[in-house]
Amino acid sequence: KFRCRSPVSEGQHCTPKHNMGQASHPLTGETRLIQVACWAHARRDLYNEFLRNRSPSAERALNLISDLFAVEAGINGLDPEMRLAARLARSVPLLEILKSHLDTTLA
């Protein structure tokens, strides 16, 4: 199901533009920049693990990340409100499953 393709090509590195996001402080509402994880790099490490060991756990995580990439591909070009709604409805549940999977696997 997963493909060996990432938004950041092999050999390239994420720039600050790629790994920075905006977040609002939960109490003050102040918007600030925060560092966010790069899915391409996280996925690459899991893919390498899968190639080495054919790990079912790595494969499961890769499939979930592919599903996240598919959500993003499907909402590309939509207005911000529609992208947010789709991410809340489709990406957040996938992220919760992925977190649970990794917490259980890596515990």
Side-chain angles (χ1 to χ4, degrees):
K1 182 176 180 179
F2 58 86
R3 299 177 304 200
C4 183
R5 195 179 104 210
S6 66
V8 177
S9 300
E10 192 73 41
Q12 290 181 337
H13 297 283
C14 290
T15 65
K17 177 183 167 190
H18 287 114
N19 67 357
M20 296 302 288
Q22 289 186 339
S24 296
H25 189 279
L27 298 177
T28 66
E30 177 185 341
T31 301
R32 65 195 192 300
L33 289 177
I34 58 167
Q35 184 171 3
V36 295
C38 171
W39 281 112
H41 282 95
R43 187 190 173 288
R44 187 173 300 139
D45 288 342
L46 287 163
Y47 183 75
N48 289 337
E49 177 64 23
F50 176 75
L51 289 180
R52 277 192 300 273
N53 301 313
R54 295 293 180 216
S55 164
S57 177
E59 183 177 22
R60 171 86 170 123
L62 287 167
N63 286 332
L64 289 165
I65 293 170
S66 290
D67 292 344
L68 287 167
F69 284 175
V71 170
E72 289 301 310
I75 63 175
N76 187 27
L78 297 179
D79 65 67
E81 293 82 19
M82 292 179 76
R83 288 195 312 265
L84 176 60
R87 287 175 179 145
L88 291 173
R90 297 174 52 208
S91 295
V92 169
L94 291 170
L95 289 167
E96 289 171 348
I97 294 167
L98 179 59
K99 181 184 183 320
S100 176
H101 171 71
L102 293 174
D103 285 347
T104 301
T105 303
L106 300 175

